[in-house]
Amino acid sequence: MNVFEAIEWRRSIRKFSRQKIEADKILKILEAARLAPSSSNRQAWHFVVIDDKEIINKIPDRVPAGTRGIIKWIKDAPLVIVGCYQKALTHYIAQIFKHENHLIDISIAMTHMVMAATELGIGTCFVGWFNEPYIKKLLDIPRRYRIAVLLALGYPAEPSNKRGIGGINARPRKKLKEIVSYNKFGKKFNPDCCL
Ligand SMILES: Cc1cc2nc3c(=O)[nH]c(=O)nc-3n(C[C@H](O)[C@H](O)[C@H](O)COP(=O)(O)O)c2cc1C
């Protein structure tokens, strides 16, 4: 599978089989994060790998009432990777100019993991809906770290097919012409631009 095939085939997977992810595959996924680019090569990230069912079961607790549905499926994931970052000096300097490079860095690293997992036939889903103070306490994450996002991983419950990993159809995406501006009509940003 080449990178573009993996990009097309990936889906958010929220139903997992009971099969555990092999240790060598977890290492490969983490290696993909390790090799990710980062601003000033600061690599100011840390990944907490959770395979303890008891802890995973507790992740959906303490989200605001009425919102547990967004995250409760995570209990069935055999593995969760918590994406943490600690701002480096260069990140603080970038922030003076309103650049949120720390968030970009961790997002790229997490995306590398998603793509590596996809290539290995492992389903993933980002989880942005969590209670950060609670998860930090649950996992003993030091105060100086922030959690950007959680990544649930596991083999999909349903068989994969040509359409997508886990047999899931692609969710709709905007057309390129809706999201791309070509700087060819004398305008710097042209939201009405047609390809
Ligand atoms: C930063 C981020 C946070 C997300 N948080 C959640 C979440 O808390 N719960 C959930 O079920 N899906 C979550 N998702 C998954 C999105 O809903 C999903 O990517 C989107 O609907 C597109 O579907 P697809 O990934 O299958 O293409 C999140 C995705 C991203 C990128």
Side-chain angles (χ1 to χ4, degrees), residues 2-3 14 22 43 46 56 59 61-62 66 69 77 100 116 126 130 140 161 179 183 185-186 189 193:
N2 65 38
V3 174
R14 301 180 180 86
E22 300 82 345
Q43 306 161 63
H46 194 90
I56 292 175
I59 290 177
D61 294 348
R62 314 272 179 89
E100 309 292 338
F126 283 110
F130 58 90
D140 286 330
N161 57 28
I179 58 169
N183 187 7
F185 300 121
F189 182 88
C193 173

Side-chain angles (χ1 to χ4, degrees), residues 53-71:
K53 252 335 233 165
E54 254 183 58
I55 296 181
I56 292 175
N57 274 337
K58 289 182 181 160
I59 290 177
D61 294 348
R62 314 272 179 89
V63 289
T67 62
R68 284 193 78 226
I70 302 172
I71 183 179

Side-chain angles (χ1 to χ4, degrees), residues 70-81:
I70 302 172
I71 183 179
K72 73 166 192 256
W73 53 266
I74 206 173
K75 288 184 176 202
D76 296 327
L79 194 79
V80 174
I81 298 179

Side-chain angles (χ1 to χ4, degrees), residues 7 10-14 67 69-73 107 111 124-130 148-150 168-173:
I7 288 169
R10 184 209 60 80
R11 306 281 178 261
S12 284
I13 299 297
R14 301 180 180 86
T67 62
I70 302 172
I71 183 179
K72 73 166 192 256
W73 53 266
S107 305
T111 304
T124 57
C125 189
F126 283 110
V127 173
W129 200 262
F130 58 90
V149 74
L150 316 182
I168 295 178
N169 291 330
R171 295 210 63 206
R173 292 294 195 265

